[in-house]
Amino acid sequence: MAAATSVHKLYVLLCGFEILPLGISLRGGDNRIIVAEPICAYLAETEAGWVLFDTGIDASRIHDPVLAKAYYTDRGWTTLPVVHPVHSLTGQLKEIGIQPEDIHQVVMSHMHTDHTGYLKLFRHAKIIAQRAEHHYALHTPPGLGNIIEDYDLPDLDWQLIEGDYALMPGIQLLATPGHTPGHQSALISLPSGKRLVLTFDAGDFLQNFEQELLPGSASDDGQALESLLRLKRLAEEPGSILFPLHDPAFIQTAKLAPLYYD
């Protein structure tokens, strides 16, 4: 019998691609190999309303040459992310039949730029993040991975949590530090009885979990490995599916919005 869940559907929103050396995602990977890694967000329709997980990357800073230089190339990006109109976060929401104003909870896995881009659209919503991540993000100088203007907004309504957190029946937030000090993942229970293990950046590729390989960078290697192994164990339980956020092969087989998992 399937566990009780408030979740009706889960949508995968493909919000663009990052063009990165392999070693960014696989520790020790050959950086002569360049990979187009998907940027994803997830949207859950629940009995309590719409819940968004991460917000993609702000395309305006990529398409404006002045902003692209200031926020990307001057900070060490060798190739700009690719965000086409079809990757528009608001466009995908519209295709599902909702607007940003309909979303009242936004869960942040962590505060890197490919996850925080459109937080500005959700000033009306409760923004849920690990306290350690919020502190880390606000006290880390802007650089290759973070754009502080995305999240240092005085009118964002933060709900800061510590450790694992049951958001509602069917949505369990999991503290998975290591990639960053306050990184979190999620376990989603669907009406069908299936469970989706959303890894976010605890491991970018299926290969990270299959071969127990750390991501290319981590705030703490020990924590990163412990978090990766925890998610791997959860995904090995019956009825569970591992959802690696940045895996370029996995995204080609995933149901993309407006299709959904239920």
Side-chain angles (χ1 to χ4, degrees), residues 76-89:
W77 290 70
T78 56
T79 307
L80 293 175
V82 175
V83 182
H84 289 167
V86 72
H87 300 130
S88 164
L89 178 71

Side-chain angles (χ1 to χ4, degrees), residues 5-262:
T5 180
S6 295
V7 179
H8 298 314
K9 301 173 182 177
L10 186 89
Y11 296 87
V12 178
L13 311 176
L14 178 56
C15 300
F17 287 84
E18 295 171 288
I19 314 302
L20 300 171
L22 183 63
I24 294 290
S25 292
L26 293 178
R27 184 69 59 89
D30 187 339
N31 283 334
R32 296 173 296 180
I33 307 301
I34 305 299
V35 184
E37 300 191 12
I39 300 167
C40 295
Y42 304 105
L43 178 69
E45 182 184 1
T46 80
E47 292 175 7
W50 295 94
V51 182
L52 181 66
F53 298 82
D54 289 344
T55 68
I57 193 166
D58 186 346
S60 69
R61 297 196 182 102
I62 297 166
H63 298 147
D64 182 308
V66 174
L67 295 178
K69 182 177 185 299
Y71 286 101
Y72 289 98
T73 55
D74 283 355
R75 297 185 182 186
W77 290 70
T78 56
T79 307
L80 293 175
V82 175
V83 182
H84 289 167
V86 72
H87 300 130
S88 164
L89 178 71
T90 54
Q92 291 177 79
L93 295 179
K94 184 176 181 180
E95 193 171 7
I96 292 168
I98 66 171
Q99 302 293 328
E101 302 80 52
D102 297 316
I103 296 169
H104 294 288
Q105 290 179 298
V106 178
V107 175
M108 296 306 303
S109 65
H110 64 300
M111 306 298 285
H112 282 163
T113 184
D114 50 334
H115 302 261
T116 60
Y118 289 107
L119 267 173
K120 60 180 73 68
L121 299 181
F122 300 100
R123 289 175 163 91
H124 61 280
K126 187 73 70 176
I127 312 298
I128 303 160
Q130 292 286 328
R131 185 176 300 277
E133 186 67 15
H134 184 261
H135 177 83
Y136 172 75
L138 289 176
H139 294 85
T140 299
L144 187 65
N146 65 310
I147 295 178
I148 197 167
E149 290 89 343
D150 280 347
Y151 50 81
D152 189 15
L153 302 172
D155 53 350
L156 287 180
D157 184 9
W158 293 97
Q159 178 183 345
L160 301 180
I161 62 176
E162 298 181 12
D164 293 354
Y165 183 78
L167 185 64
M168 64 182 67
I171 300 182
Q172 179 77 15
L173 305 183
L174 307 172
T176 50
H179 176 63
T180 59
H183 185 279
Q184 63 182 347
S185 305
L187 184 64
I188 309 296
S189 298
L190 298 175
S192 63
K194 292 180 181 177
R195 301 192 318 167
L196 307 183
V197 181
L198 307 184
T199 68
F200 297 97
D201 286 17
D204 289 346
F205 301 161
L206 284 173
Q207 188 178 349
N208 289 94
F209 297 92
E210 292 167 350
Q211 300 182 20
E212 299 179 0
L213 294 173
L214 290 176
S217 64
S219 60
D220 184 295
D221 280 359
Q223 286 185 333
L225 181 58
E226 183 179 346
S227 294
L228 187 150
L229 294 176
R230 181 190 187 191
L231 294 172
K232 179 179 180 178
R233 289 192 297 269
L234 284 171
E236 289 171 345
E237 295 181 10
S240 301
I241 305 172
L242 195 72
F243 265 59
L245 186 139
H246 287 302
D247 192 297
F250 181 84
I251 197 64
Q252 295 179 56
T253 65
K255 295 180 182 179
L256 300 180
L259 302 179
Y260 54 84
Y261 293 84
D262 60 6

